[in-house]
Amino acid sequence: MWDLRGPSQPRQQFSGHAMVVTGLAVSPDSSQLCTGSRDNTLLLWDVGTGRCAERASISRNLVTHLRWVPHQPYVLQTSEDKTIRLWDSRGLQVAHIFPTKQHIQTYCEVSEDGHKCISCSSGFGGEGCEATLWDLRQTRNRICEYKGHFQTVASCVFLPRALASMPIIATSSHDCKVKIWNQDTGACLFTLSLDGSGPLTSLAVGDTVSLLCASFSRGIHLLRVEHSRGLELRELAVF
């Protein structure tokens, strides 16, 4: 852990996994840190002391991503065993397991209100390659699927409500495309092809009108959502 306004040396180090760390989530009050690894283990850390407070391990649970649910004690986790788990940080116990998907779950994201989440699937040739919207409240049912990518969907984000008259999400894929979707209907509203970028690996909301998209071959793409001819996505710069 680094202090961005402090010295160049790390402020804290969290050592405990036996293999590469593939997921990290910070609690809403920043007092706890949850990490996941290909060693099938989740660890819960005290940020202040660097001490491991809880440890949980499930066979074949190769963690791909973690997200802490806003305003809640829950951590969402995706896995190479095709499962999406909801963990209760109070004791680090599995609180819920969503219906198993047909492909590896690569990524997860939670809405700002903590009511919904999205997971992404691996795949090839259009088989799999979808994102799925889930209800995080009591029913915890599948709400919608977003199909249209032709390779692994590597990342997904909820976009700011100010961008459109309806709730929208974005996905990025190994097929070099970023897609914007109507969250409620599953309709694809726009597709941006970043030719020559190689597989797209992650997405992040920059501000109310921009996205950052990382790629294998060209670095980080700065994208802007525009409305000059309907909802569009345009590449502004590459870093």
Side-chain angles (χ1 to χ4, degrees):
M1 180 174 67
W2 307 83
D3 188 339
L4 296 178
R5 293 179 294 273
S8 60
Q9 296 302 310
R11 180 178 169 186
Q12 191 65 268
Q13 186 165 310
F14 306 90
S15 299
H17 287 291
M19 297 181 69
V20 61
V21 177
T22 50
L24 183 152
V26 181
S27 65
D29 64 1
S30 301
S31 67
Q32 292 180 304
L33 178 71
C34 186
T35 58
S37 168
R38 291 184 65 84
D39 64 7
N40 305 321
T41 300
L42 266 70
L43 301 180
L44 188 68
W45 307 87
D46 183 295
V47 169
T49 66
R51 184 181 65 87
C52 180
E54 300 285 352
R55 175 186 295 264
S57 183
I58 296 177
S59 178
R60 293 182 288 188
N61 182 31
L62 280 72
V63 176
T64 56
H65 201 246
L66 295 172
R67 264 291 182 262
W68 207 296
V69 179
H71 322 299
Q72 298 289 333
Y74 299 111
V75 179
L76 190 69
Q77 181 235 322
T78 47
S79 172
E80 286 193 15
D81 68 0
K82 308 174 185 177
T83 303
I84 307 145
R85 295 177 175 88
L86 190 66
W87 294 81
D88 191 332
S89 64
R90 299 165 296 187
L92 206 56
Q93 301 289 324
V94 176
H96 183 73
I97 300 176
F98 291 87
T100 302
K101 299 285 289 179
Q102 295 299 309
H103 295 80
I104 289 171
Q105 296 301 284
T106 60
Y107 193 92
C108 56
E109 183 63 277
V110 181
S111 61
E112 284 189 4
D113 60 12
H115 294 169
K116 297 179 178 69
C117 66
I118 321 169
S119 66
C120 299
S121 289
S122 67
F124 187 77
E127 183 67 28
C129 312
E130 80 272 4
T132 306
L133 182 69
W134 306 90
D135 189 346
L136 270 179
R137 290 168 291 186
Q138 288 196 343
T139 62
R140 292 177 176 163
N141 293 330
R142 185 181 71 183
I143 300 173
C144 191
E145 283 197 332
Y146 311 94
K147 296 184 176 182
H149 285 293
F150 286 90
Q151 294 188 42
T152 292
V153 179
S155 187
C156 51
V157 291
F158 291 91
L159 296 179
R161 286 301 302 265
L163 284 177
S165 58
M166 80 289 285
I168 53 178
I169 67 168
T171 55
S172 65
S173 168
H174 289 185
D175 64 10
C176 307
K177 292 179 172 59
V178 178
K179 289 180 178 287
I180 295 179
W181 310 82
N182 182 314
Q183 178 184 300
D184 296 333
T185 67
C188 182
L189 304 175
F190 190 79
T191 299
L192 175 67
S193 183
L194 297 174
D195 297 329
S197 66
L200 304 180
T201 56
S202 61
L203 276 177
V205 175
D207 54 30
T208 56
V209 295
S210 67
L211 289 171
L212 295 170
C213 180
S215 68
F216 269 36
S217 302
R218 293 181 59 206
I220 298 173
H221 306 253
L222 175 61
L223 312 177
R224 182 182 179 92
V225 180
E226 297 186 340
H227 298 85
S228 56
R229 293 174 295 180
L231 191 65
E232 294 183 342
L233 198 58
R234 185 165 65 91
E235 183 181 55
L236 293 184
V238 182
F239 305 98

